[in-house]
Amino acid sequence: MKKVITYGTFDLFHVGHVNLLKRAKSLGDQLIVGLSTDEFNHQKGKTTLVPYNHRAEILKACRYVDQLIPESNWEQKQQDIIDNQIDIFVMGDDWQGKFDFLKEYCQVVYLERTEDISSTAMKEAIEVF
Ligand code: C2G
């Protein structure tokens, strides 16, 4: 059983998120998502429109997601990988190289971001609209 993990905010769930989760899941048999809590997003300096409990329900409804865990700090990835016996850590390539230290614990894969879509752009479009 090959286990994959990825992390993110997944605010205003969009096709870029779906593409990432779809490709991450295709690398193994089970995909775990570490979903950033509202408090952690505040720490990340990221404002979200959709609260954690709603973002969690949306991700649980995604066919590619098998399990959800809260992401509440930068430091938990290593322990999450050990505790969940993760084989592959995946992130979009906007994070290229940032998590190479995890190669000690599992394979690290950066996947190409989906062009021309982001939660930020969607927020800006909504504001104008
Ligand atoms: N993503 C993508 N294409 C987009 C937008 C996002 O592939 N057009 C990917 C990102 O690269 C990331 C995932 O979707 O791998 C989730 O994106 P965000 O919710 O923006 O995640 P972020 O806020 O970067 O949080 O510890 C890691 C952080 O929690 C990542």
Side-chain angles (χ1 to χ4, degrees), residues 6-11 14-17 19-21 23 34-36 40-41 44 46 71 73-74 77 89-95 99 111-119:
T6 189
Y7 292 81
T9 305
F10 298 98
D11 193 27
H14 55 65
V15 71
H17 297 141
N19 288 341
L20 188 284
L21 296 169
R23 286 173 294 160
L35 184 63
S36 308
F40 181 46
N41 277 319
K44 283 169 30 182
K46 200 158 187 172
E71 181 191 29
N73 60 68
W74 290 112
K77 294 184 177 67
F89 169 89
V90 172
M91 285 303 294
D93 63 6
D94 46 321
W95 292 92
F99 298 109
L111 298 174
E112 197 175 333
R113 267 178 77 90
T114 301
E115 299 274 308
D116 305 327
I117 182 103
S118 71
S119 306

Side-chain angles (χ1 to χ4, degrees), residues 27-50:
L27 297 174
D29 306 293
Q30 193 187 16
L31 175 63
I32 300 178
V33 175
L35 184 63
S36 308
T37 61
D38 295 333
E39 298 73 18
F40 181 46
N41 277 319
H42 185 69
Q43 265 187 59
K44 283 169 30 182
K46 200 158 187 172
T47 50
T48 50
L49 284 181
V50 182

Side-chain angles (χ1 to χ4, degrees), residues 71-85:
E71 181 191 29
S72 47
N73 60 68
W74 290 112
E75 295 77 28
Q76 71 182 76
K77 294 184 177 67
Q78 181 178 321
Q79 198 57 50
D80 290 346
I81 287 165
I82 294 165
D83 294 349
N84 291 281
Q85 298 171 305

